Amino acid sequence: MEQHELRQWENKCIQEEVPQCTASCPLHVDAKTFCSLMRQRRWDKAWAVLARTLPLPGVLARLCDAPCKRNCVRKDAGGSIEIGLLERFCAENAKPVAPPRPLPARGKSVAVIGGGLTGLCAAWELARRGFRTTLYCGVPGSDLSALPETQLPAGALERELENLARLGAALETGVPLDTALIEAQLAENDAVFLDSDALSEAMADFGEPDELTLGTGQPGLFASPRGESAPVLKAAAARRAANSVERFTQGVSMVTGRELEGPYATRLYTNLGNVEPAPPVVNAAGYTETDARDEAKRCLQCECMECVKNCEYLRHYKAYPKVYVRQAYNNESIVMGTRQANTMINSCMLCGLCEVICPEDFSMADVCLQARRTMVEKGTMPPSAHEFALRDMAFANGEKAALARHAPGADASEYLFFPGCQLTASDPGGVMAAYADLRQRLGAVGLLLHCCGAPAEWSGRQALAGETMAEIRGHWERMGKPHLVVSCPTCLKALRQGLPEAEISSHWSLLRALGLPDGARQQDTELAINDPCAARHDAVLLEDARALLEQMQVRITEPELSGERTECCGYGGLLSEANPELAKAVRERRAQAADEDFVTYCVMCRDMLAKAGKRALHFYDLLYPAGEDSAARPAPGYSARRENRARLRETLLAELWREESETETAPHESVRVEFTEQARDIMEERRILTSDVQKVLHAARETGACFVHKETGHVLASHRPVVVTYWVEYEERGDGFLVHNAWSHRMRVKGGAS
Amino acid sequence: MSVIKVPEADAAGWKCRACDAELEMLPVELEYLDSLFTVALPTCPQCGQVLIPENLALGKMNQVEHLLEDK
Ligand code: SF4
Ligand code: SF4
Ligand code: SF4
Ligand SMILES: [Zn+2]
């Protein structure tokens, strides 16, 4: 990833954007943090948040008319947060804090002329920035004297004037404010600010201040716009002037980059979807502690996090895409040292849900897939992450499982059935029934047993994915470019991309048009539909699937995340390879998305749901029912999946084409082996196949190299067929074996027998 | 070549069947990705056959494998 791409991604995720309240506050008070502290009754801390941002906080917090309310997101769910009332409560009840510490002295002096609220705020802001500041006025805070005690209690102004002095501002009171004073101060200081409303007569000579800079015709002379009545806008003008004075005395541009002064628009999006409406807390007598807490509780603590709320993977790593993309970027930049984000990058299901949900279309899938490709290119992809899946893919495309044939007796194919390697692994009976049905109704239907290359694609191995597609293309062309009929939504997506010139239909669309097969289950049942993530953007497929279910009289329940917004089952992106724990959490979450039994048209979804203990049906279970309670069928383990593929191929060859399987049997395949139940579970969890065990046993028999246990008499042997060493603990039983345990590692003993 | 300490591998009860010999902790070279380590592991003193027990393979060894993969 290039740095500019990182920037683009980071900019896309708006999670760190400022909340509406802060953006629309002319002074940018951090109302979100303020409310968060108020809801915890931490009044003093909350006050510190206000005092950090407001000049003369004891005055301003009591006078602010809260323009932020106009944009508060709560507005549409009961009413905006009463920030003004909360501020007032806080001013009354929190322990006063010392004024902020001013910045180091700049060696520049400024005179502020006019002591209305604007002038006082300007003196505060300037003194705070390290200017030697003198305020000239008649009576300080003259425009506040008319306020009733209920709004500005006695002593509040005086305390802040003391704080102003502690900030270092000098106060010259009782001074006549006229042009002569202004001119004298201009001559003596680096800049002068006029509180226009406090000396409107004298101002006339200098013209209206510029809207952006508040500069006048006279260099170094700044002035507030006349007639501002809202206290917070007076303070905002003072801050703007202070910013201008700072720029002026530094000799930098007076105009560039000032967009974020005063209220501005923020891109932060906050979803109100699950927010209960609640009206503001009102109390004419002023807030009690409970009132204040309750009102603060209504604050939504605005943030986006839309994708994180809906993706277990994004939630798992405890941040959000803006942070993740930087981690992925850093991961890639590491030359020496540990790449901390490898597992994170390999754990995204590449399902595309985040992109659909994100208000800015952020695609974590794009980020992760790109990162994986780079890792593969640079040779830094951890070998263990995807190797098992890639070996499994090689098996599916190898001589034992792959097959390409015209229909028995035919020498051409009008259609070509492509069930996909996972369907053949999980439900070979269903595949046979489907193929028979297709031939019966369509005639010349060829068969192609092959993997679409999704594991290669997901693991970032583009070249391998390309080779796999080239093989498929070869078969398809040799068979006369028949119309492809594809069951698996992932295959469908891959083939449409890889063979754009081919005519391709989903098996489901075809059946919708052809009508249900004889024997299809038709009974009034209610099932929750689980759309596979590969179907997310395929509106036709989503609709065909539903139509087919309706033809079977299924009443369909839609989980909250469905259709275009469906969730991945945890298989996508090879998550279960790179991060089995997280995959488990994902499928369990999905299993809970509906009370009804699930029905789905992706067999991996079905098997993942079954693994999570959820009753789930594949469309084939309804279309080609085999009699048993299919929703309860357990997901076949890794070894069984391979055996299913191999046996399906053999059976089809024998029964349909009357051919003997021509594949050679390797010597280890004849090793007779049984497993304890515990050994089976362990092997499944550790991804050790029956054939791996057979290889170990065969090698031990050949070489005699093994250990024996003095008490149990168990034998322990190892073998390293390729890059993994397998260990098997077993008992010898006549000419067969009973396996008790098995484990593996990738490290190699140098020169050793293992 | 770096040297890594592995907590004593638990190979109690096993002996080499071919040589009928008790195993001894002997230095063994382990190799993964471009790294080599010397570790003391239960080994047959006669034929040199090395035993990698389950707890070592799934514990420390697995951790080191991951560490090296992320290097
Ligand atoms: S709900 Fe809270 S965080 Fe959101 S805009 Fe309103 S005050 Fe700000
Ligand atoms: S798993 Fe799906 S929703 Fe989650 S980040 Fe990856 S692509 Fe997005
Ligand atoms: S949905 Fe996710 S990626 Fe998109 S802006 Fe929100 S937090 Fe960022
Ligand atoms: Zn020996």
Side-chain angles (χ1 to χ4, degrees):
Chain A
M1 192 189 306
E2 301 293 330
Q3 199 162 41
H4 74 268
E5 295 171 286
L6 169 69
R7 291 278 137 70
Q8 278 171 6
W9 281 119
E10 283 187 319
N11 184 44
K12 232 175 202 248
C13 174
I14 53 172
Q15 164 63 11
E16 287 174 12
E17 288 270 306
V18 165
Q20 301 296 342
C21 48
T22 303
S24 46
C25 167
L27 294 171
H28 309 310
V29 166
D30 183 355
K32 179 176 152 182
T33 307
F34 172 69
C35 285
S36 155
L37 292 162
M38 290 291 280
R39 76 198 289 172
Q40 303 168 54
R41 295 166 168 259
R42 294 165 74 186
W43 321 124
D44 296 347
K45 283 259 181 235
W47 180 249
V49 169
L50 296 182
R52 195 164 62 212
T53 311
L54 297 178
L56 294 86
V59 172
L60 217 58
R62 288 178 162 100
L63 303 186
C64 175
D65 62 349
C68 59
K69 276 173 68 179
R70 263 188 301 252
N71 291 324
C72 173
V73 176
R74 207 11 139 172
K75 167 176 75 186
D76 299 321
S80 300
I81 301 299
E82 293 291 350
I83 292 286
L85 297 179
L86 289 173
E87 282 180 288
R88 235 143 282 167
F89 173 86
C90 200
E92 294 298 336
N93 292 278
K95 195 163 91 236
V97 293
R101 196 170 315 148
L103 296 176
R106 297 168 181 259
K108 306 266 182 196
S109 67
V110 188
V112 176
I113 300 178
L117 182 58
T118 316
L120 293 176
C121 290
W124 181 286
E125 298 276 352
L126 287 161
R128 210 187 145 164
R129 284 167 164 78
F131 288 101
R132 198 163 63 250
T133 307
T134 313
L135 174 69
Y136 298 88
C137 62
V139 181
S142 50
D143 53 346
L144 303 173
S145 54
L147 293 171
E149 176 83 1
T150 46
Q151 231 193 324
L152 191 64
L157 175 62
E158 286 65 28
R159 258 196 307 282
E160 293 304 356
L161 290 178
E162 281 163 29
N163 283 334
L164 188 55
R166 283 161 79 185
L167 267 173
L171 207 56
E172 300 277 343
T173 55
V175 184
L177 310 177
D178 51 22
T179 315
L181 176 69
I182 297 171
E183 273 167 358
Q185 293 307 324
L186 263 176
E188 267 173 47
N189 293 283
D190 295 285
V192 172
F193 173 70
L194 307 179
D195 176 349
S196 305
D197 290 323
L199 68 176
S200 40
E201 296 298 287
M203 263 302 295
D205 303 355
F206 302 98
E208 281 301 308
D210 176 78
E211 216 179 301
L212 177 66
T213 65
L214 301 185
T216 62
Q218 173 81 39
L221 181 64
F222 300 87
S224 60
R226 218 173 310 208
E228 182 52 67
S229 59
V232 65
L233 292 178
K234 291 187 181 188
R239 179 168 298 168
R240 187 179 288 281
N243 290 342
S244 287
V245 167
E246 198 172 321
R247 286 170 180 249
F248 177 75
T249 56
Q250 284 174 345
V252 300
S253 162
M254 296 299 292
V255 292
T256 54
R258 302 192 69 162
E259 301 77 16
L260 301 186
E261 287 179 31
Y264 56 86
T266 170
R267 288 155 68 215
L268 186 67
Y269 167 81
T270 304
N271 188 351
L272 281 179
N274 290 321
V275 174
E276 284 291 317
V281 177
V282 268
N283 189 341
Y287 275 175
T288 64
E289 289 203 355
T290 325
D291 292 338
R293 182 204 57 194
D294 290 348
E295 179 58 12
K297 265 190 183 166
R298 288 199 319 121
C299 168
L300 302 169
Q301 294 294 301
C302 286
E303 57 175 357
C304 176
M305 295 298 260
E306 281 304 290
C307 58
V308 180
K309 287 182 224 159
N310 290 293
C311 168
E312 187 67 19
Y313 155 68
L314 292 175
R315 211 180 58 80
H316 176 79
Y317 287 96
K318 302 198 161 50
Y320 40 88
K322 183 166 189 162
V323 174
Y324 299 147
V325 70
R326 178 161 283 273
Q327 289 172 351
Y329 175 82
N330 290 342
N331 201 67
E332 193 177 309
S333 321
I334 285 171
V335 182
M336 290 287 282
T338 308
R339 291 183 302 274
Q340 313 260 9
N342 282 348
T343 307
M344 190 268 278
I345 290 165
N346 282 329
S347 296
C348 170
M349 291 158 267
L350 310 179
C351 75
L353 175 59
C354 48
E355 188 177 1
V356 173
I357 284 182
C358 174
E360 305 279 325
D361 305 332
F362 193 110
S363 169
M364 194 64 194
D366 286 357
V367 170
C368 289
L369 184 58
Q370 196 49 57
R372 291 181 202 182
R373 287 175 179 169
T374 309
M375 283 154 83
V376 168
E377 246 167 62
K378 291 189 176 176
T380 59
M381 175 61 90
S384 65
H386 302 125
E387 195 183 82
F388 184 86
L390 295 172
R391 266 193 280 148
D392 196 53
M393 179 178 122
F395 180 86
N397 293 336
E399 53 169 16
K400 285 197 159 52
L403 186 73
R405 286 280 192 288
H406 294 299
D411 51 14
S413 294
E414 199 182 330
Y415 293 90
L416 181 59
F417 181 39
F418 191 100
C421 67
Q422 298 300 350
L423 200 49
T424 54
S426 176
D427 185 14
V431 170
M432 286 183 53
Y435 184 41
D437 174 46
L438 285 171
R439 271 181 297 126
Q440 198 208 327
R441 292 200 273 173
L442 295 173
V445 184
L447 180 67
L448 181 51
L449 300 182
H450 209 280
C451 168
C452 68
E457 172 69 21
W458 287 338
S459 70
R461 285 163 177 83
Q462 284 173 284
L464 183 58
E467 285 161 29
T468 310
M469 194 50 73
E471 273 173 33
I472 295 174
R473 171 184 293 277
H475 289 303
W476 174 69
E477 284 173 352
R478 272 191 299 282
M479 293 176 83
K481 304 189 175 177
H483 183 140
L484 278 155
V485 179
V486 183
S487 296
C488 165
T490 300
C491 297
L492 195 61
K493 199 170 142 187
L495 290 168
R496 285 203 172 122
Q497 217 177 352
L499 297 179
E501 72 276 41
E503 254 189 284
I504 304 178
S505 305
S506 81
H507 191 191
W508 323 118
S509 310
L510 191 76
L511 286 178
R512 183 186 180 188
L514 283 179
L516 297 177
D518 292 340
R521 206 172 97 181
Q522 283 190 68
Q523 67 192 50
D524 182 24
T525 35
E526 178 140 7
L527 295 169
I529 189 165
N530 178 79
D531 293 306
C533 55
R536 182 185 315 289
H537 296 296
D538 191 337
V540 175
L541 182 55
L542 293 172
E543 201 205 309
D544 287 338
R546 282 159 180 74
L548 204 52
L549 285 176
E550 271 158 30
Q551 285 185 25
M552 289 185 279
Q553 293 170 34
V554 172
R555 274 174 291 124
I556 302 167
T557 303
E558 300 274 352
E560 193 184 324
L561 292 172
S562 195
E564 194 199 15
R565 292 161 55 92
T566 191
E567 275 178 286
C568 175
C569 63
Y571 177 71
L574 299 180
L575 166 63
S576 44
E577 300 296 316
N579 197 339
E581 282 293 301
L582 183 58
K584 186 162 180 278
V586 167
R587 61 181 180 249
E588 280 169 2
R589 169 177 162 137
R590 184 57 179 173
Q592 282 162 14
D595 296 331
E596 297 79 4
D597 290 2
F598 264 119
V599 64
T600 182
Y601 42 109
C602 165
V603 80
M604 285 317 297
C605 287
R606 199 222 76 97
D607 284 350
M608 290 295 128
L609 290 166
K611 264 190 160 179
K614 176 75 182 172
R615 289 174 55 84
L617 292 159
H618 182 257
F619 271 26
Y620 279 3
D621 294 319
L622 300 174
L623 290 161
Y624 308 107
E628 78 269 41
D629 178 9
S630 331
R633 178 169 65 93
Y638 294 111
S639 294
R641 302 180 79 84
R642 282 206 186 180
E643 279 162 32
N644 282 342
R645 286 185 194 136
R647 200 163 317 121
L648 173 69
R649 179 179 183 279
E650 273 175 28
T651 313
L652 286 169
L653 279 179
E655 290 182 4
L656 297 186
W657 286 278
R658 309 273 164 215
E659 276 178 41
E660 280 287 315
S661 174
E662 73 290 2
T663 61
E664 273 180 37
T665 342
H668 70 262
E669 287 175 57
S670 54
V671 172
R672 286 190 33 234
V673 58
E674 285 176 80
F675 302 89
T676 64
E677 203 180 309
Q678 200 195 359
R680 274 217 181 280
D681 291 348
I682 282 176
M683 285 166 56
E684 188 62 20
E685 189 196 311
R686 298 177 183 169
R687 273 152 235 248
I688 298 172
L689 301 172
T690 303
S691 58
D692 297 326
V693 168
Q694 285 174 311
K695 284 176 193 164
V696 175
L697 297 170
H698 177 73
R701 206 188 267 168
E702 294 287 294
T703 62
C706 60
F707 301 93
V708 65
H709 200 273
K710 285 176 273 184
E711 278 132 47
T712 61
H714 287 184
V715 183
L716 179 61
S718 71
H719 181 56
R720 188 177 177 91
V722 196
V723 290
V724 178
T725 303
Y726 298 97
W727 289 84
V728 180
E729 183 183 338
Y730 58 96
E731 257 176 82
E732 288 161 336
R733 291 243 170 130
D735 63 344
F737 303 89
L738 175 66
V739 171
H740 287 269
N741 197 3
W743 60 90
S744 71
H745 54 82
R746 308 178 69 87
M747 274 197 180
R748 199 173 70 90
V749 175
K750 215 181 168 208
S754 52
Chain B
M1 183 198 295
S2 39
V3 178
I4 263 203
K5 281 226 162 28
V6 175
E8 186 147 326
D10 180 21
W14 296 103
K15 61 178 184 176
C16 177
R17 180 146 95 172
C19 312
D20 196 29
E22 295 291 333
L23 307 184
E24 290 172 20
M25 295 299 279
L26 296 174
V28 171
E29 276 187 333
L30 290 178
E31 190 184 35
Y32 190 53
L33 300 174
D34 295 316
S35 298
L36 260 189
F37 310 91
T38 305
V39 189
L41 289 176
T43 306
C44 170
Q46 293 180 31
C47 68
Q49 193 184 187
V50 179
L51 195 159
I52 311 271
E54 183 178 15
N55 63 353
L56 175 63
L58 303 182
K60 188 76 186 175
M61 204 166 189
N62 185 267
Q63 284 170 19
V64 175
E65 285 170 7
H66 276 286
L67 215 78
L68 294 174
E69 289 191 339
D70 291 339
K71 278 269 179 254

